[in-house]
Amino acid sequence: MKKLFVIGNPISHSLSPKLHNYWIKQEKIEAIYDKKLLEKEELEENILKIKDGKISGMNVTLPFKKLVIPFLDELTENAKITQSVNTIYLHKKKVYGDNTDIYGFKTPLEDFGFNGENKKALILGAGGVSASSIVALKNLGVVQIILMNRTKQKAIEIKKMFEDIEVKNWGEKVNFDIVVNCTSLGLNNEDIGIDFSDIKDKIFYDIIYKPKTKFIINAEKNNKVISGKMMFIYQAQKSFEIWHGILPKIDSKVVELIND
Ligand code: ATR
């Protein structure tokens, strides 16, 4: 029986077990997926359990996506360029860290028919998923990326990884074709605190997987909106494929599972 976990702190809200166990059952795989609340000091011993074969794989969520890196043997290219790991697995006796957030972020935009050519993106927030969003937008051909974060220094740190992005002050007025909420604002129904009321016919993309954040509600009358729900499902789908070698189906039942 394969044992898989999502690790994070906090972790009680995670919908990953629901989704993975649904697919595990559907694909008739001998496995169980659970959540595990960890402290930073426990990361190393838990990752060693993957090396020992006691755990088959892990998803990593906040605040550990970067902190797990020193305990891994290898990083995939996507994990390396973002310095962010959300999927861990064993391959030829080595513990690998991969990043499926890029795929998760990119695929809903592709489904939507988004073409990045000549497009300008504004990213709000310099937290755990911002680098993945930047890589995904670049892959989609976006020509200009502006990053703003309440704590400007953190945006400047990300610019060191992606020199061609621009850093602006939090809340500064800029033109864009797509704006992405990569902050945690909205998780508890908070407003983003930036006035977009005069913006029309643009794309508002929230990485928070609640269907209706204030960011989305305020924008949807005059703009196209994408919630983080499909991003969440797609990143999980890719992790599932990495561990089990099967790309599980995304049907209406799967989408419903994430509705609460
Ligand atoms: P981490 O910053 O530890 O990686 P995260 O949840 O990935 O955690 O990121 C939280 C993001 O939401 C950060 O960009 C944070 O901005 P700061 O770097 O200034 O903390 C942003 N954020 C959280 N609360 C905010 C608020 N009230 N106003 C603006 N941005 C906020």
Side-chain angles (χ1 to χ4, degrees):
M1 171 80 85
K2 288 188 201 173
K3 272 192 206 151
L4 301 135
F5 290 96
V6 56
I7 59 166
N9 193 339
I11 199 63
S12 57
H13 65 283
S14 175
L15 293 175
S16 292
K18 217 171 163 181
L19 189 51
H20 279 279
N21 286 320
Y22 174 81
W23 280 328
I24 283 169
K25 200 169 161 204
Q26 190 176 58
E27 300 297 340
K28 300 188 175 61
I29 293 168
E30 288 268 308
I32 181 120
Y33 184 114
D34 208 348
K35 50 192 163 197
K36 207 170 195 177
L37 177 75
L38 289 188
E39 298 301 327
K40 196 175 147 203
E41 296 70 27
E42 297 170 304
L43 287 175
E44 185 170 15
E45 61 183 86
N46 275 277
I47 291 167
L48 272 176
K49 288 184 189 165
I50 298 185
K51 198 148 195 153
D52 296 344
K54 289 182 188 134
I55 295 177
S56 306
M58 277 179 190
N59 274 140
V60 183
T61 187
L62 302 177
F64 298 138
K65 290 188 181 196
K66 193 180 169 76
L67 291 171
V68 294
I69 291 177
F71 310 119
L72 302 170
D73 299 322
E74 301 281 346
L75 293 182
T76 63
E77 199 49 40
N78 280 341
K80 223 177 274 173
I81 46 172
T82 53
Q83 287 294 295
S84 175
V85 166
N86 80 327
T87 306
I88 305 181
Y89 59 95
L90 192 69
H91 178 67
K92 293 189 179 162
K93 296 189 179 145
K94 283 188 170 169
V95 183
Y96 277 75
D98 199 351
N99 174 326
T100 71
D101 287 329
I102 298 173
Y103 173 84
F105 184 91
K106 194 174 143 180
T107 313
L109 278 172
E110 285 173 339
D111 290 350
F112 190 76
F114 177 77
N115 176 353
E117 263 171 57
N118 301 318
K119 297 285 190 327
K120 206 166 164 176
L122 168 62
I123 297 182
L124 305 170
V129 193
S130 303
S132 302
S133 311
I134 291 170
V135 173
L137 288 167
K138 280 169 169 280
N139 288 347
L140 289 166
V142 167
V143 287
Q144 197 182 352
I145 298 176
I146 298 164
L147 176 63
M148 47 178 74
N149 192 51
R150 176 181 59 177
T151 312
K152 194 174 183 181
Q153 190 53 39
K154 272 169 71 183
I156 293 169
E157 290 303 317
I158 293 188
K159 186 173 163 60
K160 287 181 190 161
M161 299 162 69
F162 307 99
E163 284 183 358
D164 51 353
I165 67 169
E166 257 179 84
V167 172
K168 300 260 188 189
N169 291 326
W170 178 252
E172 203 176 320
K173 276 262 174 221
V174 297
N175 290 324
F176 58 81
D177 299 291
I178 174 169
V179 56
V180 185
N181 176 29
C182 284
T183 74
S184 50
L185 293 166
L187 261 178
N188 298 308
N189 214 26
E190 312 94 316
D191 199 346
I192 192 97
I194 299 177
D195 183 12
F196 291 118
S197 57
D198 58 337
I199 307 291
K200 287 189 176 58
D201 305 324
K202 306 296 183 201
I203 301 170
F204 282 65
Y205 189 170
D206 200 329
I207 61 152
I208 292 176
Y209 62 66
K210 291 192 169 184
K212 294 274 177 180
T213 56
K214 290 215 167 110
F215 179 73
I216 293 287
I217 291 170
N218 292 338
E220 67 188 350
K221 194 164 162 237
N222 296 321
N223 300 275
K224 293 169 189 150
V225 296
I226 308 174
S227 84
K229 187 162 84 172
M230 290 313 294
M231 173 180 176
F232 176 72
I233 295 172
Y234 278 122
Q235 62 75 32
Q237 185 194 36
K238 199 74 187 166
S239 295
F240 192 98
E241 187 187 33
I242 289 169
W243 296 321
H244 308 298
I246 297 168
L247 195 68
K249 281 193 256 334
I250 297 176
D251 52 24
S252 55
K253 181 87 197 295
V254 167
V255 179
E256 260 169 48
L257 283 178
I258 310 304
N259 272 348
D260 22 284

